[in-house]
Amino acid sequence: MRAVIGRLARTALLCVAAHMMVGAAPVASPAKVLPAPPVSQPDAAHTVDVPQPSHDLNARDLEAWFDGMLPVALEQGDVAGAVVSVVKDGQILFAKGYGYADVARKVPMDARRTLVRPGSVSKLVTWTAVMQLVEQGKLDLNANVNRYLDFKIPEPLGKPITLNQLMAHRAGFEEGLKDAIITDPKSLQSLEVFLKRHVRPVLFAPGETPAYSNYGTALAGYIVQRVSGQSFDDYVAQHIFQPLDMTSSTFHQPLPPRFAARMSKGYMAGSDAPRPFELISFSPAGSLTSSATDMANFMIAHLQDGRFGGQSILRPETAQTMYSASIPHAKGSDVMAHGFFRGHRNGHLILEHGGDTILFHSNLQILPDDGVGLFVSFNSRGKGDAAYGIRTSLIDGFMDRYFPGPNTVTPPALSTAKAHGTEIAGRYETSRRVQSGFMSLFYVLQGQQVVSPQPDGTIKLATAPEKSYREVAPYVWQEVGGTQTLTLRRIDGTKTIIDSHDPIQYFQQVPLRRDASFNLAIFGLSFLLLIAGAVAWVASAISKRVHGQSNALPRQVVLARRFGRIAVIADLAYLVGWFALLSPILSNDVAYYTSARDPIIRAMQIAGVIPMLALVAGIWSCVEAFRARRHWLIRLGTLVMAAALAGVLWIAYVGGLLSFTLNY
């Protein structure tokens, strides 16, 4: 049972996190601390300046390296294909495809011809469009976004949301899944309709807590549309793609015929059948279709302060603003830079963004001080989500091969390491989450970060057991042999972990009512007890029928017992119904969750009366059993069943199954 629920939850979180950039860095918050860490967190002091050997970055060496790595990785990971492009000093240095765009027809991936879906890399185009309008004085990054909209974004916490906060993913929006990715063009809503129908609840006060938001970026794209007077798709085509000679790029959905024939198929695994084309409802956040060489042109423009050939999409001063930090941040930490993730790797400045749909997995990174950019995209998730690991290995390997850094040495642990390790230990949930509606069930059953203290004074994360972190400053832990740091702070009374490599989310300690181990134990035990009770009653009924046994019991006791048993069966049916509704996530079928499912979801929400009435019936059965002074085993059994029924009601409550919202 735990394995099934765990798999369901992990898969759901991957689906909800479609288009999410993994591995970028959190920003320090000017909040209450536990106690305050030093202003300058450990960074350069952790390295020993011993130059590592590097390879010359040229086309021949790149081809040899990629040829030696990618074909084997794709085969072992069951990934159908990939494209890669590298630029240097204003030119495309290398571009090549690997594997197949269409496995059945043996159509090879081609860096110039094959089209891919870069997912959230699309956001960089959207933010570039925003900066163009800022440059023209048509947008103010610090203005309330409601100034530019024809509908109102609520301000429940009394603070307006600004464009700058959207860029930094600090608008405070909850995550959302409904209608996000669909496959039927007839169900595709316009950007305007989608945004107005799916306004996300505000979970955090704007500007305070990072929570990556596709809705927020889509909102910015709609503002571009409203202020420019053009559709978003047409605006970026005219003002970004055309001057950058990106003739193989579009945000239009479904794809125009001239693009459709060149589109790579998308696969869960290369050995599987291809899946339908993914239609992204929050299009400015993830619907770009492009080629590796077109993305190379985009990288060249951003490496040259907005210039490409004789064209310019941004003034140099605007481009430099775009590459600067959107908000204050701790020294040594990554930060959002007006849409880019900004940080340092191997001592080199990196501006980047990753992107994941269900099927495509991509990353774009540029090294502004070195004039170099790298784009890669995979057309399959792969066996065991292999595409994520391959992408990480490729990016890290590229940096280590061509831009190696000094060896990293972790300072000795503080004397407070064990005591503070005990303080940071516990369960944490991401600030990027769904907390309204039935999808919140996954966040209270699984998918939480677990921090564990080790006997040697280090700490470990459950999601990365191969890494250890050592306290090198008060309440600051550094990865042993690495540069990543974890900082513990108490923000608004909640223990919060800030990851220096992740600016789009915090990890907040969960209260007991949201603790996954607590809730999973309640759910699993309640479910098993209800099953056992139902089986025992069936066996008892058969035995009595075979042996002709009967009990002379008062009518009220018999009636209470009967309703108690009906309650157990009804609760089991209720759980089976929700499992059937949530099971498409197991196969990554996010397209199932559209407005067409509203009647089914509403019916299950109305069925929330079942666990309530079931608990009443269970308590009644228990009370009557005790009043009638039945055998102690029977009394114990009714007490246990009542507790199990209470457990189901608790999970329905804390997991959002009793919520009546259809905005999830």
Side-chain angles (χ1 to χ4, degrees):
M1 174 56 63
R2 183 181 180 93
V4 172
I5 295 298
R7 184 186 170 206
L8 180 66
R10 285 190 296 272
T11 309
L13 291 174
L14 283 172
C15 295
V16 169
H19 305 276
M20 178 180 179
M21 167 61 191
V22 178
V27 188
S29 171
K32 308 150 191 119
V33 297
L34 207 186
V39 174
S40 295
Q41 295 186 8
D43 51 350
H46 294 175
T47 63
V48 174
D49 192 13
V50 179
Q52 300 300 303
S54 64
H55 290 74
D56 184 36
L57 182 60
N58 59 61
R60 179 178 296 180
D61 194 83
L62 282 166
E63 185 165 30
W65 184 65
F66 282 120
D67 285 358
M69 176 190 178
L70 274 176
V72 175
L74 298 181
E75 181 179 1
Q76 291 179 345
D78 199 6
V79 174
V83 288
V84 62
S85 59
V86 178
V87 301
K88 181 182 180 184
D89 299 331
Q91 301 293 326
I92 297 178
L93 184 62
F94 176 78
K96 190 172 181 178
Y98 295 86
Y100 295 107
D102 186 329
V103 175
R105 296 172 53 207
K106 302 298 181 186
V107 177
M109 294 288 279
D110 185 292
R112 296 186 180 278
R113 177 170 175 76
T114 305
L115 303 183
V116 294
R117 302 277 275 168
S120 277
V121 176
S122 309
K123 291 178 171 66
L124 296 178
V125 177
T126 300
W127 299 128
T128 301
V130 167
M131 293 304 292
Q132 286 179 333
L133 296 175
V134 169
E135 179 178 277
Q136 297 168 28
K138 296 179 179 179
L139 289 177
D140 181 348
L141 290 179
N142 297 310
N144 187 335
V145 295
N146 283 320
R147 175 195 295 184
Y148 306 110
L149 298 172
D150 57 347
F151 68 105
K152 185 175 176 60
I153 297 297
E155 300 172 11
L157 300 176
K159 291 185 177 181
I161 293 171
T162 68
L163 274 169
N164 199 51
Q165 289 163 351
L166 293 181
M167 284 181 146
H169 293 286
R170 286 179 175 245
F173 290 125
E174 279 191 27
E175 187 55 273
L177 179 66
K178 182 181 179 181
D179 289 322
I181 301 178
I182 62 175
T183 55
D184 182 4
K186 295 179 182 178
S187 301
L188 183 63
Q189 302 167 10
S190 69
L191 177 60
E192 177 182 355
V193 170
F194 176 81
L195 291 172
K196 291 179 178 179
R197 287 183 180 176
H198 300 80
V199 177
R200 299 308 302 144
V202 176
L203 187 59
F204 306 106
E208 295 185 5
T209 301
Y212 188 88
S213 175
N214 289 307
Y215 184 88
T217 307
L219 195 64
Y222 183 58
I223 289 172
V224 168
Q225 178 171 298
R226 296 226 349 121
V227 171
S228 70
Q230 295 178 272
S231 73
F232 174 80
D233 301 350
D234 289 343
Y235 177 88
V236 296
Q238 179 180 342
H239 296 277
I240 297 177
F241 297 155
Q242 184 176 328
L244 299 186
D245 196 26
M246 296 175 67
T247 58
S248 296
S249 299
T250 184
F251 271 83
H252 283 284
Q253 301 178 111
L255 286 179
R258 68 189 183 93
F259 290 115
R262 298 167 53 193
M263 182 67 215
S264 169
K265 302 289 187 183
Y267 302 84
M268 283 303 296
S271 57
D272 295 339
R275 289 205 175 186
F277 183 82
E278 298 168 301
L279 298 164
I280 312 299
S281 297
F282 40 82
S283 55
S287 73
L288 173 62
T289 299
S290 190
S291 67
T293 49
D294 268 21
M295 296 310 297
N297 290 358
F298 185 76
M299 291 190 290
I300 290 171
H302 276 291
L303 284 166
Q304 298 183 147
D305 290 340
R307 291 180 295 104
F308 180 83
Q311 301 288 328
S312 179
I313 59 171
L314 293 172
R315 296 190 196 122
E317 59 272 23
T318 306
Q320 285 303 308
T321 297
M322 187 173 182
Y323 311 147
S324 65
S326 302
I327 55 176
H329 64 292
K331 184 178 180 181
S333 290
D334 290 4
V335 65
M336 292 306 302
H338 298 88
F340 281 97
F341 291 79
R342 188 181 197 277
H344 289 80
R345 298 293 179 269
N346 292 356
H348 294 260
L349 175 63
I350 299 285
L351 298 172
E352 65 180 335
H353 210 298
D356 300 277
T357 67
I358 299 301
L359 306 176
F360 286 84
H361 307 277
S362 311
N363 197 77
L364 179 151
Q365 71 174 40
I366 59 176
L367 289 74
D369 297 337
D370 302 284
V372 171
L374 167 67
F375 172 78
V376 61
S377 184
F378 302 89
N379 65 2
S380 319
R381 185 180 289 266
K383 179 176 58 181
D385 299 332
Y388 295 105
I390 298 172
R391 178 175 60 183
T392 299
S393 296
L394 185 147
I395 295 168
D396 291 346
F398 179 85
M399 290 299 299
D400 291 341
R401 183 176 182 85
Y402 300 109
F403 301 96
N407 290 323
T408 301
V409 176
T410 310
L414 300 185
S415 59
T416 55
K418 287 193 174 183
H420 290 173
T422 301
E423 286 191 56
I424 197 176
R427 283 186 170 269
Y428 296 79
E429 62 183 347
T430 172
S431 56
R432 183 195 181 188
R433 63 180 182 264
V434 178
Q435 196 160 302
S436 302
F438 66 93
M439 282 294 169
S440 64
L441 177 68
F442 297 114
Y443 294 83
V444 298
L445 288 184
Q446 193 77 14
Q448 295 173 356
Q449 182 65 273
V450 180
V451 182
S452 304
Q454 303 300 305
D456 62 357
T458 62
I459 61 172
K460 285 183 177 290
L461 307 181
T463 54
E466 73 282 359
K467 295 182 179 181
S468 294
Y469 298 83
R470 181 185 300 163
E471 189 182 29
V472 296
Y475 295 99
V476 178
W477 287 260
Q478 184 189 344
E479 177 190 352
V480 176
T483 59
Q484 179 190 15
T485 62
L486 306 175
T487 300
L488 178 65
R489 294 191 174 191
R490 191 177 290 276
I491 300 177
D492 295 330
T494 300
K495 284 185 181 180
T496 302
I497 295 177
I498 303 172
D499 180 348
S500 68
H501 283 185
D502 191 348
I504 58 170
Q505 60 188 336
Y506 284 166
F507 284 91
Q508 303 166 316
Q509 188 174 43
V510 295
L512 180 61
R513 66 182 179 83
R514 294 185 61 84
D515 188 295
S517 59
F518 173 70
N519 288 317
L520 195 58
I522 290 177
F523 175 80
L525 186 59
S526 298
F527 183 79
L528 292 175
L529 286 173
L530 294 180
I531 290 288
V535 171
W537 290 332
V538 170
S540 175
I542 293 174
S543 175
K544 289 178 180 179
R545 184 177 294 273
V546 170
H547 297 290
Q549 299 172 337
S550 63
N551 293 325
L553 295 172
R555 183 175 180 276
Q556 189 168 345
V557 175
V558 173
L559 193 62
R561 182 183 64 176
R562 184 172 298 158
F563 272 96
R565 293 180 177 182
I566 291 173
V568 169
I569 300 303
D571 256 14
L572 288 172
Y574 175 75
L575 293 176
V576 169
W578 273 113
F579 183 82
L581 183 59
L582 296 169
S583 62
I585 295 179
L586 284 171
S587 57
N588 294 281
D589 186 10
V590 178
Y592 177 84
Y593 299 98
T594 67
S595 299
R597 302 288 171 259
D598 284 357
I600 300 174
I601 294 171
R602 180 63 81 206
M604 287 305 304
Q605 290 171 338
I606 294 172
V609 71
I610 290 175
M612 299 179 195
L613 295 178
L615 178 57
V616 173
I619 293 174
W620 181 30
S621 178
C622 181
V623 169
E624 291 300 329
F626 274 82
R627 280 180 177 173
R629 298 184 181 278
R630 302 196 67 192
H631 191 279
W632 71 269
L633 280 176
I634 294 177
R635 283 182 283 169
L636 178 62
T638 60
L639 186 62
V640 168
M641 287 300 103
L645 294 168
V648 172
L649 181 58
W650 169 257
I651 294 301
Y653 165 71
V654 76
L657 304 186
L658 302 181
S659 166
F660 255 64
T661 181
L662 293 173
N663 187 19
Y664 56 88

